[in-house]
């Protein structure tokens, strides 16, 4: 269906792609993997007609092609679903699906009834029960994504490209998406699937092409490689080398403790202890109450019962301000929506939680703020042009480092990390793991929430597991393995 040979593309000062190759067959789901900066986005844009290659040949559906604009590629059956949805929230599902291809009556006016009926038929063909008259803003994120896919299916789709499609969904929603994609594959559609989540590659894809530093590394049948081999192709080192060496077990003092902490409708009687210099993993299925427990500890959700103690002293009514003052930091899983000020630069983001320290006579001391940011850029090896770099222009891994740098400046006792490596590439994960290891060695108690079992097993000194708002068990270092974590995550706590 699609063949690229010798594709090269340069931008001012950057060789984005060099002699790239790719072939995608009709009726297959083909994964495209590589670290941030490997060239995946540039390659996708060339396939979609956003960029024209400097050299090389593109062959699509049996013909050599060279798209002058994205519309050319779309008219031939190539459709891209980007990580950021291109939907109009205040229009209906039907209006979004047929935008630009409106159903009209014989007078040239939009026929809303026909539009809704055609949308209902299209959604039903895709196995979806979504009201075509509903406003997009009222849909779940998963349903919004399905509307994006349905919008592509209005056309004669031959090649569908999905960029990080599960970044904003989880659990059952992912399984629903996978089922729809398998149905499209079985109908003969070629699918390019881009994801940092390697477990999805093995669950869904037929073949995988690996990119590194803008160059073609190789193409493999997914059934012929394992996770460790795939990582080695992507970054040049094995999975075992991603995680720092486990630190020796030691009796460490308790820094923070919860006793029978309950959050209405979310967490029931949760008792945990976080120790200085220890990385405690908090595991469980999505919806188990992990994030809610973290928010309760930080004071962002109010408790109904129980106690929170810091170094033995009870905080009767925890709030985020009191948590910060007590040396507690929280890195949320939604770095763009809840973590970063996306319109500001690195310097402003790094100092956001400590503004009084860079304020003089009510004004921010820009020189001091930039000096602090430069030190953190060096300390955390943040790839950027300097403190004035806009965080919106940075990769996910470097954005995450900026947030960690901010909270590490104030988190003298406890740092809570909710999905710290979500949406970042394997190389950036290794850097974040190193940072976490270094912070723990400085005596900070780290609570790491993660849905990735290899991460939980590889990083944790101790693991606490939750299910349906309740703690079901705790594993010490020698007991930690994926089977034990899954067992506790899928069973009720002992009575």
């Amino acid at each position: 269906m699609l063949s690229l040979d010798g594709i090269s593309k340069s931008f001012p000062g950057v060789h984005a792609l060099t002699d790239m190759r790719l072939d995608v067959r009709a009726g297959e789901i083909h994964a495209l993997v590589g670290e941030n900066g490997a060239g995946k986005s540039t390659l996708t844009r060339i396939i979609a007609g956003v960029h024209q290659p400097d050299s090389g040949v593109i062959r699509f559906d049996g013909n050599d092609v060279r798209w002058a604009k994205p519309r050319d590629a779309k008219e031939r059956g190539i459709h891209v679903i980007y990580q950021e949805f291109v939907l109009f929230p205040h229009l209906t599902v039907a209006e979004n699906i047929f935008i630009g291809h409106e159903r009209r009556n014989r007078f040239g006016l939009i026929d809303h009834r026909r539009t809704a009926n055609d949308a209902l038929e299209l959604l039903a063909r895709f196995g979806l029960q979504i009201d075509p008259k509903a406003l997009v803003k009222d849909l779940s994120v998963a349903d919004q994504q399905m509307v994006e896919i349905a919008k592509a299916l209005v056309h004669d789709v031959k090649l569908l490209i999905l960029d990080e499609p599960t970044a904003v969904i989880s659990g059952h929603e992912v399984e629903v998406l996978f089922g729809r994609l398998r149905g499209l594959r079985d109908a003969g559609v070629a699918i390019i699937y881009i994801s940092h989540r390697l477990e999805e590659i093995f669950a869904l894809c037929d073949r995988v092409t690996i990119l590194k530093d803008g160059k073609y590394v190789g193409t493999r049948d997914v059934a012929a490689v394992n996770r460790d081999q795939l990582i080695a192709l992507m970054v040049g080192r094995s999975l075992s080398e991603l995680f720092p060496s486990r630190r020796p077990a030691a009796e460490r003092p308790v820094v923070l403790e919860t006793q029978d902490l309950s959050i209405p409708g979310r967490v029931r009687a949760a008792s945990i202890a976080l120790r200085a210099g220890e990385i405690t993993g908090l595991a469980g299925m999505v919806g188990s109450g992990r994030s809610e427990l973290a928010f309760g500890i930080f004071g962002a959700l109010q408790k109904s019962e129980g106690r929170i103690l810091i170094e033995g002293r009870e905080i009767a009514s925890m709030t985020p301000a009191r948590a910060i003052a007590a040396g507690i930091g929280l890195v949320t899983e939604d770095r763009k929506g809840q973590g970063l000020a996306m319109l500001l630069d690195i310097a402003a983001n790094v100092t956001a939680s400590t503004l009084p320290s860079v304020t003089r006579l009510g004004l921010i001391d820009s020189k001091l703020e930039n000096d602090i940011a430069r030190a953190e850029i060096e300390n955390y090896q943040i790839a950027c042009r300097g403190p004035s770099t806009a965080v919106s222009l940075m990769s996910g891994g470097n954005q995450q480092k900026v947030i960690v740098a901010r909270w590490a400046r104030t988190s003298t006792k406890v740092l809570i990390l909710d999905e710290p490596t979500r949406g970042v590439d394997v190389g950036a994960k290794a850097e974040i793991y190193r940072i976490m290891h270094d912070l723990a060695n400085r005596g900070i108690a780290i609570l790491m929430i993660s849905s990735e079992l290899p991460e939980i097993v590889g990083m944790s000194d101790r693991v606490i597991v939750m299910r349906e708002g309740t703690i079901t068990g705790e594993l010490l270092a020698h007991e930690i393995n994926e089977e034990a974590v899954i067992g506790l995550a899928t069973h009720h706590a002992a009575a």
Side-chain angles (χ1 to χ4, degrees):
M1 179 62 70
L2 174 72
S3 175
L4 286 79
D5 188 30
I7 297 294
S8 295
K9 180 67 179 178
S10 293
F11 299 98
V14 178
H15 291 288
L17 294 173
T18 304
D19 196 26
M20 180 60 63
R21 306 199 305 274
L22 175 69
D23 73 275
V24 182
R25 301 164 184 163
E28 80 163 342
I29 302 177
H30 194 115
L32 195 61
V33 300
E35 298 181 85
N36 287 335
K40 302 187 300 295
S41 295
T42 302
L43 187 61
T44 298
R45 291 186 175 98
I46 287 174
I47 296 170
V50 178
H51 298 320
Q52 282 70 48
D54 299 332
S55 62
V57 176
I58 303 174
R59 191 171 183 81
F60 180 69
D61 200 19
N63 299 296
D64 290 352
V65 298
R66 195 172 185 88
W67 314 124
K69 53 187 182 296
R71 187 178 184 87
D72 294 343
K74 185 173 289 188
E75 288 176 349
R76 291 288 296 275
I78 297 176
H79 295 271
V80 183
I81 297 176
Y82 295 100
Q83 189 171 340
E84 303 295 335
F85 299 153
V86 186
L87 296 172
F88 295 89
H90 294 284
L91 295 183
T92 67
V93 169
E95 288 167 338
N96 270 276
I97 288 174
F98 292 109
I99 199 157
H101 300 271
E102 290 80 4
R103 277 30 185 166
R104 298 182 182 276
N105 60 25
R106 60 194 179 94
F107 302 108
L109 301 175
I110 294 176
D111 187 333
H112 293 287
R113 177 177 293 180
R114 182 184 165 203
T115 300
N117 288 338
D118 286 358
L120 186 63
E121 181 181 335
L122 180 62
L123 292 165
R125 199 166 75 231
F126 203 47
L128 299 173
Q129 295 181 331
I130 301 175
D131 182 0
K133 297 179 181 179
L135 295 179
V136 163
K137 71 179 180 65
D138 296 328
L139 301 181
S140 69
V141 174
D143 282 343
Q144 288 181 22
Q145 187 172 60
M146 294 304 177
V147 172
E148 278 279 18
I149 295 175
K151 190 169 70 171
L153 296 180
V154 169
H155 314 275
D156 180 19
V157 179
K158 295 178 180 177
L159 173 64
L160 183 65
I161 305 174
L162 297 101
D163 186 5
E164 297 289 350
T166 62
V168 291
I169 61 174
S170 58
H172 174 68
E173 297 167 341
V174 174
E175 287 304 315
V176 171
L177 172 65
F178 284 7
R180 306 303 178 228
L181 295 180
R182 291 184 184 109
L184 288 174
R185 176 191 61 190
D186 295 343
V189 175
I191 298 173
I192 295 177
Y193 189 89
I194 302 170
S195 179
H196 289 310
R197 299 180 177 180
L198 299 187
E199 67 275 11
E200 295 178 0
I201 305 302
F202 291 100
L204 179 68
C205 299
D206 303 299
R207 291 192 300 153
V208 54
T209 290
I210 304 98
L211 285 65
K212 180 173 173 57
D213 299 328
K215 298 178 181 178
Y216 173 82
V217 174
T219 299
R220 302 285 189 275
D221 289 334
V222 170
V225 293
N226 59 36
R227 180 185 176 90
D228 205 4
Q229 291 168 334
L230 189 54
I231 288 173
L233 288 167
M234 290 169 61
V235 300
R237 58 180 178 267
S238 68
L239 177 63
S240 61
E241 295 175 297
L242 284 181
F243 302 109
S245 300
R246 192 180 296 277
R247 290 165 300 120
E251 189 62 35
R252 303 178 176 99
V254 173
V255 177
L256 184 145
E257 185 178 5
T258 70
Q259 297 177 352
D260 295 324
L261 186 69
S262 294
I263 298 169
R266 308 188 187 203
V267 177
R268 296 190 300 277
S271 298
I272 68 171
L274 305 181
R275 299 178 180 274
E278 185 174 78
I279 298 175
T280 301
L282 184 57
M285 301 300 181
V286 173
S288 62
R290 303 169 306 173
S291 296
E292 290 80 3
L293 177 56
F295 273 69
I297 292 171
F298 192 68
L301 287 176
Q302 291 303 305
K303 64 182 176 68
S304 57
E305 297 178 1
R307 307 170 71 204
I308 301 174
L309 298 92
I310 300 175
E311 294 182 331
R313 181 175 61 89
E314 182 176 1
I315 308 295
S317 180
M318 182 66 83
T319 65
R322 287 173 181 161
I324 293 170
I328 303 172
L330 170 63
V331 177
T332 65
E333 64 177 323
D334 181 4
R335 62 173 168 267
K336 292 184 179 180
Q338 298 177 325
L340 290 167
M342 295 299 291
L343 298 180
L344 299 182
D345 58 20
I346 293 174
N349 274 277
V350 165
T351 60
S353 60
T354 55
L355 280 179
S357 69
V358 294
T359 302
R360 301 290 182 270
L361 301 176
L363 299 174
I364 292 176
D365 184 335
S366 297
K367 182 180 182 303
L368 177 58
E369 185 179 59
N370 285 332
D371 288 344
I372 291 171
R374 285 191 192 92
E376 300 297 3
I377 288 168
E378 182 177 356
N379 186 32
Y380 291 97
Q381 299 178 25
I382 300 171
C384 64
R385 294 183 177 179
S388 62
T389 301
V391 295
S392 61
L393 301 177
M394 302 169 67
S395 70
N398 284 298
Q399 288 177 349
Q400 194 74 345
K401 290 181 189 178
V402 170
I403 302 175
V404 173
R406 174 205 298 167
W407 285 109
R409 299 186 69 240
T410 60
S411 306
T412 55
K413 294 185 175 67
V414 177
L415 179 59
I416 303 169
L417 298 161
D418 194 351
E419 301 288 1
T421 64
R422 171 169 290 173
V424 307
D425 63 59
V426 177
K429 283 185 178 184
E431 280 297 306
I432 292 170
Y433 296 153
R434 177 192 62 79
I435 291 168
M436 291 170 60
H437 197 264
D438 290 347
L439 291 173
N441 286 340
R442 281 167 39 187
I444 296 173
I446 292 180
L447 179 64
M448 177 188 70
I449 302 169
S450 178
S451 300
E452 296 191 24
L453 285 177
E455 189 167 85
I456 287 287
V457 173
M459 286 298 296
S460 304
D461 299 310
R462 189 163 48 93
V463 175
I464 296 168
V465 186
M466 296 186 69
R467 183 183 189 276
E468 297 180 355
T470 302
I471 291 175
T472 56
E474 182 175 316
L475 301 169
L476 302 180
H478 67 280
E479 301 171 318
I480 300 172
N481 58 64
E482 293 191 17
E483 291 76 13
V485 174
I486 291 173
L488 289 171
T490 54
H491 290 80
H492 292 282

